[in-house]
Amino acid sequence: MKASAASVAGFDVARVRADFPLLARRVHDKPLVYFDSANTAQKPVGVIEAVDRYYRQFNANVARAVHQLGAEATSAYEGARDRLARFINAASREEVVLTSGTTQAINLVAWSWALPQLQPGDEILVSTMEHHANIVPWQLVCERSGARLKVAPIDARGELALDAFVAALTPGVKLAAVTHVSNVLGTINPIAELARATRRRGIPLLVDGSQAAPHLAVDVRALGCDFYALTGHKLFGPTGTGALWARAELLERMPPLFGGGEMIDEVRFEGTTFAAPPHRFEAGTPNIAGFVGLTAALDYLDGLGHVAVQAHEAALLEHLTQALRALPGVRIFGEAAHKVPVVSFLVDGAHAHDLATLLDHEGIALRSGHHCAHPLMRFLGVPATLRASLAFYNTHAEIEQFVAALTRVRRLLA
Ligand code: PMP
């Protein structure tokens, strides 16, 4: 498909942008071009208003008070669980643990599910393209247990090498943990295929869905995985929200990680019994306002429709990729056949941070650095990349502005 500046049928990006107040602001006296949504996404006004409404009208703690406000807050918080369950097509709301984000979700699996059963010599399989959040928790529990981290390779295009992944699923592997979408390369991994391979061998598969959920329709039952982690702030919701989905039979076997209020059945000084999942994993007062906002974000996303969003994003990705390829001395990292609109690149003779700083002065927000993926940077043979990460609210005109600005600022560094 040729890159097209025409908007995708059924998707009115100007109307969508009007829902995101922050996109209208200026930065360094230039119109903002926000190309950093993989870092955190902007929020529609419905999310901002939902959080505001919560604090103005029904702020109270959950699951403790019998008064009306407490009932309303509890119903909104538990409503977020229902909404998330529907968003990812979970078999039941009890399979959804509300967390502060993906990092907490993966750590919960590492410490509560993996550690109690890991033996010296066992292995956890990850891939070269993982974010530190899907590496370091496994390293920590490996250190405690004497287990080892094993790494499934990727190829030069930035795709997971399927045969090597399957070959790595040896009997010592107790869990495979793979990202659904790479935050650096934009690669969409074939999770359903990976899950078929892990299931056949009785190895649970954890999927880091942080970068997938904002772009793809996630159906955990169709994917066939065992754990799925996501983070709310990349999903156009508030920071400090997220979820771990896990098959009920796995959650049932997991001991609590944090102890405190809300997660108990009965507490005596002689010993405590715990609530059933998912509340067993939700000690203390949660981010109630955040989950009220996340519910609004998921309503908003579903209202846009995944088909229209994906068509618009595919056109943006094609346009951006072609435009960068047309610039001399630009090297793109990640040429997978299936990608989300996330493009990492470097420009000959220019440091990523210098370019990002100069682009910021042109009003363009994009990230430079290692993107919390040191091992992937090492594989790519670079210390850092620039990363333009787009969302459905970005436009073809912004891509033109970005490319024009990049052409201007690189001259300053030549
Ligand atoms: N995994 C991936 C692939 C990510 O991109 C991120 C965020 N950059 C995370 C995990 C961690 O998410 P959070 O910081 O919201 O817990």
Side-chain angles (χ1 to χ4, degrees), residues 116-133:
Q117 56 177 308
L118 284 177
Q119 301 288 326
D122 284 349
E123 293 172 320
I124 303 279
L125 180 65
V126 297
S127 87
T128 308
M129 70 172 89
E130 300 310 314
H131 185 280
H132 295 163

Side-chain angles (χ1 to χ4, degrees), residues 11 57 71 92 104 120 133 178 204 219 228 232 285 288-289 309 340 344 347 357-359 364-365 372 379:
F11 191 79
Q57 297 181 6
S92 94
Q104 193 192 338
V178 176
D219 179 336
Y228 197 94
T285 301
I288 307 162
V309 163
V340 301
S344 275
V347 178
T357 306
L358 290 170
L359 284 166
I364 293 159
C372 299
F379 171 81

Side-chain angles (χ1 to χ4, degrees), residues 38-39 100-104 106 131 133-134 179 181-183 208 210-211 231 233-234 367 387:
N39 209 356
S100 63
T102 294
T103 303
Q104 193 192 338
I106 296 177
H131 185 280
N134 200 24
T179 197
V181 165
S182 162
N183 64 315
D208 174 352
S210 307
Q211 298 291 347
T231 202
H233 68 100
K234 296 183 205 281
R367 189 165 171 197
R387 181 187 67 185

Side-chain angles (χ1 to χ4, degrees), residues 246-258:
R247 291 183 188 284
E249 64 269 24
L250 294 170
L251 283 184
E252 291 290 345
R253 297 209 306 264
M254 286 165 56
L257 179 58
F258 298 118

